[in-house]
Amino acid sequence: MVVNNCEMLLSKCAQFKEERQFIDVRLKVGEDIFPVHRIVLAANSDYFYAMFTNGMKEANQEEVELKDESISPNVLKIIMESIYTGEFQVNEDNVFEVLAAADHLQVTTVVQKCCDFLLTEFVKLRFDFETYSRIWEIAHSHGLKNLQDATESEMAKMYKDVCESQEFLAHIGGDQFDPNYPNYSLIYSSDKGDFVVLVAIIPQAQMQYFDFETKTWKPLPSMAQLTEADACFCAEYVGNHLYVAAQRGNDFITYHYDTVTDTWGSLPPILGCEHKIDSLCSIGDYIYAIRESTPPHRFSLKTNQWQCIRSFYIGETCPNTFCNKACVVSPDNSFLFVLQGQRIETSSRDGSSEWLGKQAVVFCFNPERNEWKRHTSTQSFHFRSSLFVVNGKLCIAGGMISICSSSGIPNGIIAAPVEVYDRRKNEWALVNQNHIPKNNLGAVEIEGRVYFIINNFPIDSGIRIPPEEVYPVPLDEWENLRE
């Protein structure tokens, strides 16, 4: 009879734990104590492996307290049982808590079991808007691509109903809404491109969405009109509220739309604000308002107050050169990136002067330190370009590279190239557009995907380019997108 060594070892470890033999560390959660073995934890968790091998103080402690709010005694008990015995006892009430804790502790086997449970019990058996929103946010925040893809696939089947559903707007989460540009707000864009909703925030008019199946704009009757605003510049979605930076007369106002009550209101004004907000971005409990050459502000969702933060402004930035922002959020750190065009004024011997463009600069803001850091300059000039993230990489597309020599104001004579940031080399690299024909849609090719840069707003078309493809991508059917 052949005995499986792995099963025998697992059984022995469980027996030792039950009989309190060879215990060399105790995990404390609240008032509960869990006697365990370091070698078992390290073998099943990169989190504990790093804790016990990288010279951390916990490496020599007999008792280690786990203070993360995602870990409760009941949840840790489920995770330990799975590690020691292979048994996994979760239900609809606790699976999200177990998943969050297992992801924090980097117990990949338990994370996978949670995903399998969700795929079976939620996605395949009963699927609705609220379930989708919750599962998608969990999958997105923990980088669980298979689970995210499965929920996207299910939601894609209900595409037409979703677009006009008040329930969708009430339940959709903040991470699924990534607006970046005037008058347009992207509620959601899937990595696979099988389910995309593009909503147009149009002052004084009915909201519209772009139907990616028919390639046409259609009315969206489920949102109240923003009747007060004369112009909209950018938007951000947080919780149940859509925040829109707009202008009414001579005043610059940040409106907020409540998806539950279907009503519009406004935030308190930013004192001394005489400039439009170019980008809104949410990180944690704050909404960041970025403006060209004036200090940024952030709005606290808890205190309902604006607060000035340090400026990224340097002398070579100038009006009308602002490009865009991108937010990179991870379990450990969240950063705000801002792309800023640059110019310099030169003088000739006869006393005349002219403006010349310079390589654009990316600034990175650390919210914990209230600190901006300047990153490596881009390869090319960039004015009014879009900064966004594709496959975890910062990308720049759209915009222009030319400015008027007499006024220093950007003009649209020459389009800017596409660039991608290489973190390992700490440099920007130009991206060849081998599969994109000449077009007026702002179509660009990045990481095998086709994006449309409409009014500086990046839209994932869902088109994917196989590595072996040698022919250009047909774009004729997308002409209505610019309307």
Side-chain angles (χ1 to χ4, degrees):
M1 178 179 178
V2 178
V3 178
N4 188 304
N5 289 336
C6 294
E7 292 182 358
M8 183 176 67
L9 179 60
L10 186 65
S11 176
K12 279 294 184 181
C13 288
Q15 178 183 337
F16 293 151
K17 176 177 176 294
E18 187 69 24
E19 297 175 355
R20 305 293 176 93
Q21 291 185 319
F22 309 112
I23 298 296
D24 56 1
V25 67
R26 289 168 173 78
L27 303 180
K28 181 180 180 182
V29 180
E31 300 299 322
D32 294 66
I33 302 295
F34 296 82
V36 288
H37 306 91
R38 294 178 193 268
I39 191 171
V40 175
L41 296 184
N44 288 273
S45 162
D46 291 342
Y47 176 91
F48 286 114
Y49 177 84
M51 177 184 291
F52 297 145
T53 60
N54 289 350
M56 300 177 65
K57 63 179 182 179
E58 290 86 355
N60 299 314
Q61 291 180 347
E62 294 184 359
E63 182 177 287
V64 175
E65 184 175 5
L66 302 177
K67 299 180 180 180
D68 191 270
E69 59 183 15
S70 68
I71 304 172
S72 68
N74 290 336
V75 166
L76 186 62
K77 181 179 179 181
I78 293 173
I79 294 175
M80 290 298 110
E81 283 296 313
S82 179
I83 288 177
Y84 273 92
T85 69
E87 296 181 4
F88 188 60
Q89 302 294 329
V90 295
N91 53 49
E92 295 180 6
D93 296 327
N94 63 22
V95 62
F96 292 107
E97 296 179 62
V98 175
L99 175 57
D103 184 71
H104 176 79
L105 297 175
Q106 300 176 42
V107 185
T108 56
T109 56
V110 175
V111 169
Q112 186 58 52
K113 289 178 180 179
C114 289
C115 290
D116 293 342
F117 178 87
L118 288 171
L119 284 170
T120 302
E121 300 299 323
F122 280 84
V123 175
K124 294 182 180 179
L125 297 184
R126 57 178 186 81
F127 196 86
D128 51 41
F129 296 113
E130 186 173 7
T131 302
Y132 163 78
S133 175
R134 190 175 186 188
I135 293 180
W136 192 97
E137 288 185 48
I138 290 289
H140 180 67
S141 62
H142 296 294
L144 307 174
K145 192 175 188 309
N146 290 339
L147 181 60
Q148 182 177 338
D149 286 349
T151 53
E152 290 171 1
S153 179
E154 291 297 318
M155 183 56 75
K157 299 173 185 177
M158 298 183 283
Y159 172 76
K160 290 184 179 179
D161 295 334
V162 170
C163 291
E164 298 181 0
S165 168
Q166 181 74 23
E167 186 180 7
F168 174 76
L169 293 175
H171 288 303
I172 203 74
D175 284 336
Q176 291 152 275
F177 193 96
D178 183 21
N180 289 318
Y181 191 78
N183 297 334
Y184 294 92
S185 300
L186 186 62
I187 287 182
Y188 173 68
S189 175
S190 77
D191 285 340
K192 299 191 304 179
D194 53 7
F195 173 52
V196 179
V197 180
L198 179 67
V199 174
I201 307 298
I202 308 173
Q204 311 293 336
Q206 188 178 51
M207 308 305 175
Q208 298 182 20
Y209 74 93
F210 187 79
D211 189 329
F212 278 69
E213 184 176 337
T214 63
K215 306 295 188 297
T216 58
W217 287 95
K218 294 182 178 181
L220 182 65
S222 58
M223 285 185 68
Q225 298 178 23
L226 181 56
T227 57
E228 293 186 4
D230 298 320
C232 296
F233 306 118
C234 54
E236 182 74 314
Y237 198 88
V238 183
N240 291 324
H241 288 85
L242 167 67
Y243 296 87
V244 178
Q247 183 174 2
R248 183 183 64 191
N250 295 323
D251 298 324
F252 296 97
I253 300 173
T254 304
Y255 292 96
H256 63 89
Y257 171 73
D258 191 319
T259 60
V260 177
T261 62
D262 191 28
T263 56
W264 287 93
S266 60
L267 300 185
I270 302 176
L271 295 179
C273 177
E274 299 178 355
H275 302 276
K276 73 180 180 76
I277 294 173
D278 294 282
S279 284
L280 290 173
C281 183
S282 62
I283 299 179
D285 295 322
Y286 293 92
I287 299 174
Y288 290 81
I290 309 298
R291 294 170 292 174
E292 276 191 329
S293 300
T294 54
H297 284 73
R298 68 177 187 176
F299 180 78
S300 172
L301 298 175
K302 290 184 176 180
T303 65
N304 202 40
Q305 293 179 327
W306 287 100
Q307 180 182 34
C308 184
I309 65 175
R310 287 185 180 176
S311 176
F312 59 86
Y313 171 75
I314 58 176
E316 295 163 347
T317 60
C318 62
N320 302 309
T321 62
F322 181 82
C323 291
N324 214 287
K325 58 82 183 175
C327 178
V328 178
V329 180
S330 68
D332 301 319
N333 296 293
S334 299
F335 298 100
L336 171 65
F337 291 88
V338 171
L339 175 65
Q340 183 73 46
Q342 304 288 298
R343 68 177 184 179
I344 186 171
E345 186 176 21
T346 61
S347 299
S348 61
R349 294 180 179 179
D350 62 5
S352 62
S353 62
E354 66 174 349
W355 289 97
L356 300 176
K358 293 186 62 178
Q359 281 76 12
V361 174
V362 175
F363 297 91
C364 176
F365 180 71
N366 186 332
E368 293 184 359
R369 300 180 179 179
N370 186 22
E371 179 180 87
W372 291 92
K373 285 188 177 180
R374 178 171 173 166
H375 274 221
T376 302
S377 298
T378 59
Q379 292 272 358
S380 176
F381 306 161
H382 285 277
F383 300 107
R384 301 173 185 168
S385 298
S386 295
L387 178 68
F388 53 106
V389 178
V390 178
N391 288 341
K393 299 178 181 179
L394 281 175
C395 304
I396 303 173
M400 61 203 77
I401 65 172
S402 54
I403 61 174
C404 177
S405 60
S406 59
S407 66
I409 302 301
N411 58 49
I413 297 176
I414 305 175
V418 179
E419 298 193 39
V420 173
Y421 180 65
D422 188 327
R423 292 184 60 185
R424 184 175 59 84
K425 296 181 179 180
N426 188 30
E427 65 182 21
W428 291 90
L430 300 179
V431 180
N432 294 326
Q433 303 295 293
N434 298 324
H435 301 92
I436 303 299
K438 206 167 186 179
N439 65 91
N440 64 350
L441 295 170
V444 295
E445 171 188 350
I446 304 176
E447 296 282 306
R449 307 178 179 204
V450 176
Y451 283 81
F452 295 121
I453 312 299
I454 305 297
N455 292 340
N456 290 33
F457 176 52
I459 303 167
D460 187 346
S461 68
I463 300 173
R464 298 296 179 260
I465 305 174
E468 67 278 5
E469 183 60 71
V470 295
Y471 288 96
V473 176
L475 301 173
D476 295 344
E477 62 179 356
W478 293 90
E479 285 296 325
N480 291 330
L481 187 60
R482 284 198 73 90
E483 294 182 359

